[in-house]
Amino acid sequence: MSIKKINLVVFVVLIGFMGVCGGCSRDGTTSRTGPDDEMSITRTVSGYRVTLNEEACMDFQLPELAGIGLPRVSVRAVEEGWQQVSMRWEVPHEITQDELSVMFDLSMEPDFWWAPHLAPEEGYVIAQHVFRSPALIVQQDHLSLAIVPDLDLVGDRPGNPWFLDLDAPARQLWLGMTLTDIPVHVLYTKAPGMTIEAGEVELSFFIRVWKDQWGVRNPWSPVTSFLWGRWGSPLLVAGEPVQASLETYTQHTYDWAFESWGDFVWQEFDLGGVRVGAPQFIVNISQSPNYPGVWYQREFLSIWNQTWFSSLRSASGLYRYARDIGDEELLRKARLTKELALAAPMTDGVFPAVIRTPNETVEIDGEQYRRPLDWDEAVWTNSNRSPRDHGISDDWYHVLDASWTALLMLRWHLELESDERLVDYARAWGDRLLTLQGEEGFFPGWLHPETHAPGPVMNRTPETSMSVTFLLELAGVTGESRYREAALRAMDAVLAEIVPEGNWLDYETYWSCCGWGRDMYLDRKIDRNAMHKQNTLSMFWTAEALLQAWRVTGSQHYLGFGWRTLDELSMAQQVWQPPFIHVPALGGFGVMNADGEWNDSRETLFAELFLDYYRWTGDPACFERGIAALKSGFIMMYCPENPIVREMWEKVYPWFGPEDYGFTMENYGHGGRTSPEGEGMGVFTIYDWGNGAAAEAAMRILDHWGHVYIDRDRDQAFGIDRVEVRKRGRRWVLVNETGTPRTIRIVYEDGSEEKVTLVDRIVIRPPVRPREERTR
């Protein structure tokens, strides 16, 4: 029998709060580690003990392999204060063993627990499918402990998938290998029957102890830094996750939406005497020009302005694109979508988010198909992703969606074209919003369709953070301090009740595809994991709102908690390329700690926030993460520039062809499993939560940051769109990675810019910024 090597490696970190990353203070305070702190790993009778200053933090046991016994163990120091523990077995023949794992017993008494996924009962585990930025983290005061599996090795052997587990009441953690089942969308349980082939089996992990003495508690900071530095950054430098320019993918998007699939995607009609238009909410593979069968309508023919599916957001990207290339027809289309947003009927400041038509059923060749009625039959309504089990239907108005649309109106007015109608509409909503604020500072979730009274649930959630950002923008546009005062009161409420508890609850957490737990855990932690069911959207809204609050107040308190929240959000970002994810993965995001998506479309919504945090903190990892997130939005696009993904699409839909270039599924691996044959690829494109959203983010970021961003104050530079940037003395070398001559924009830290023609490479010396203009 041939000898094959199986490796299972674990990184373990013992850390206190890190208030500094890349030399930049995250919270405006000084962060220190005691000079006499000493971490040790010492042998015990049954395993090893980790101590800090001779005080026990954790014990871990030596696992046995059936018929082989205990492993050989070695301990060695590695970079930046980490130590590596390795356990190895030589396996002479195939072994059947349901589980091979290390159990960690905590000596500390944590007041905080974190894992990337829920394992709510004994027998449930965290399967490797959800290892986007995997770690197990606990914290007692400022002392933190984290276990991070070695992503160089996870998933190398399909027959021996990895898992994590966390039992807070027992104060125990696990990492190892076992087979899993999916009893519910999407949670995992252990399954029997794992076979380990002959060869070397290795378990190893890295340990570090860090004790911090001041600052905002942030158990994620050193973990995100380690994960990105070890895996994410090198992959980005190597050219992942996509190879073509952003302009190439954007052109595919608009060619697909308005030409090859345009008959289905683009909708244009008269509404109350006003010409309006927008891409419809969702199209599916049956609407391809190449589909060999009869087409059908998925869901309703509809257009949305909601926090997922925002036609106004997508239209702003189309506007930038059309303006840049001088395409008057596309510019007209973008403005028609703005008109549709303004056409939503407002009553007492409240307005709907969705316009749709009913469906009818038609019979063709003995088969029944769903087809939409004309726009003459359209009705206004709201998102159906709502707490229906609490009596809140799509007739109810969602405060979150209204604040998002109003915020986008203000941004259109400020950045694209001045239109006082947008300001007036947003102000009307802002005035109504102030009347809805509760005594504690929160804004309600849903409003009754007739009385506009708040609903019975979701009235103290981080959805409030979206309204914070909107009101701060409205205060800036109008100069009225009452909007600012209400926003900061709301921000303080979220900081007091939501952020410390990690109660990242929003509409998607329970009322989308994963309803697990809504009967028991609404506003309640899962006992075994000591965690809430959490969604990443509300983390993003809160990190964005905190940054805006800092910018208008100068309070370092907001910036410190903002960066903490951004680090927590970063733990949902994909930092590596797993062998079981059969499309590129770097930079994408998952959705929540109870679902299976990779490369979810929210990644492009999140991208610029990371760049914004770089602007104010100087942490280059933030910039890199933002660029990776932006590019990941085009991973799932069917086009010749994505050969791996194109091959996967054609395995599933062999009739796909050039007319389908631009088709983009909103995520990958949603059901919790993938396969080389194409499981996990999907059947539809949502323009406003897929290719249109990604194109919008690309056009916006290129507008704001250019193809190259140079920060002269910090002596740092970043290539954003297929430009490699190298430092040469006081000059920067720009290398064209597209192979095609082009004109690029260079944007500097003060907002100044220049254009250069880039053929192969060019050496530039940035203009010196006068000392009196430097603000950092």
Side-chain angles (χ1 to χ4, degrees), residues 221-236:
S221 176
V223 182
T224 61
S225 178
F226 176 69
L227 287 165
W228 187 256
R230 190 173 186 92
W231 289 287
S233 184
L235 284 174
L236 184 66

Side-chain angles (χ1 to χ4, degrees), residues 75-152:
V75 179
R76 68 184 184 94
V78 294
E79 71 276 4
E80 299 180 359
W82 299 69
Q83 294 189 41
Q84 182 181 14
V85 180
S86 297
M87 306 174 188
R88 295 182 176 88
W89 298 260
E90 291 296 334
V91 180
H93 53 77
E94 183 180 277
I95 294 173
T96 298
Q97 184 166 317
D98 289 343
E99 179 180 335
L100 176 65
S101 65
V102 179
M103 182 175 71
F104 303 91
D105 287 297
L106 301 173
S107 305
M108 28 189 316
E109 298 183 3
D111 53 24
F112 168 87
W113 302 79
W114 188 89
H117 210 73
L118 296 176
E121 299 175 15
E122 185 175 356
Y124 282 76
V125 294
I126 302 159
Q128 70 178 16
H129 178 86
V130 294
F131 281 20
R132 303 175 189 93
S133 284
L136 298 172
I137 306 174
V138 298
Q139 188 174 57
Q140 178 183 331
D141 195 16
H142 288 290
L143 179 67
S144 298
L145 180 152
I147 302 172
V148 180
D150 182 0
L151 302 180
D152 292 331

Side-chain angles (χ1 to χ4, degrees), residues 363-595:
E363 184 172 315
I364 300 174
D365 296 333
E367 299 289 334
Q368 292 188 332
Y369 297 91
R370 188 161 53 187
R371 295 286 174 84
L373 298 180
D374 292 336
W375 283 107
D376 291 342
E377 305 292 331
V379 296
W380 284 98
T381 181
N382 293 287
S383 170
N384 57 9
R385 277 63 169 181
S386 61
R388 298 173 297 278
D389 48 325
H390 293 275
I392 298 176
S393 69
D394 57 6
D395 291 329
W396 289 59
Y397 299 98
H398 196 183
V399 170
L400 173 77
D401 294 340
S403 289
W404 173 231
T405 298
L407 175 61
L408 290 173
M409 287 181 173
L410 295 177
R411 289 176 175 172
W412 190 297
H413 169 75
L414 291 170
E415 296 189 27
L416 303 183
E417 56 183 356
S418 177
D419 188 336
E420 290 298 328
R421 297 178 302 159
L422 296 170
V423 178
D424 292 343
Y425 199 99
R427 186 201 293 265
W429 167 244
D431 290 343
R432 186 68 177 95
L433 185 61
L434 296 190
T435 70
L436 299 171
Q437 190 167 27
E439 292 183 4
E440 301 84 0
F442 288 96
F443 296 105
W446 278 266
L447 304 179
H448 189 277
E450 296 174 358
T451 67
H452 295 175
V457 295
M458 298 289 290
N459 294 319
R460 300 166 67 97
T461 78
E463 289 189 349
T464 285
S465 296
M466 172 59 73
S467 293
V468 171
T469 303
F470 160 62
L471 288 173
L472 290 176
E473 191 74 83
L474 184 60
V477 170
T478 64
E480 296 188 30
S481 61
R482 60 196 179 104
Y483 301 125
R484 178 181 183 273
E485 292 166 0
L488 295 178
R489 190 158 69 91
M491 190 79 269
D492 291 340
V494 172
L495 275 183
E497 294 193 21
I498 303 300
V499 175
E501 291 297 306
N503 190 11
W504 300 115
L505 173 63
D506 55 62
Y507 68 92
E508 188 178 24
T509 314
Y510 288 107
W511 295 288
S512 179
C513 54
C514 180
W516 178 89
R518 65 187 176 204
D519 56 337
M520 294 179 59
Y521 294 113
L522 190 63
D523 278 326
R524 179 187 156 208
K525 288 184 177 180
I526 288 84
D527 294 336
R528 185 173 186 267
N529 301 145
M531 292 178 63
H532 288 278
K533 191 182 181 190
Q534 300 172 331
N535 194 53
T536 52
L537 282 177
S538 49
M539 296 179 198
F540 164 74
W541 299 325
T542 301
E544 182 181 43
L546 285 163
L547 183 61
Q548 291 300 103
W550 173 75
R551 291 169 74 171
V552 302
T553 65
S555 171
Q556 295 294 327
H557 177 71
Y558 290 131
L559 183 61
F561 274 105
W563 204 329
R564 177 191 194 268
T565 305
L566 192 75
D567 277 336
E568 187 171 5
L569 176 63
S570 297
M571 296 301 295
Q573 189 174 26
Q574 300 149 203
V575 300
W576 65 304
Q577 183 59 57
F580 49 84
I581 297 298
H582 305 288
V583 300
L586 178 68
F589 275 83
V591 171
M592 67 176 78
N593 60 359
D595 218 332

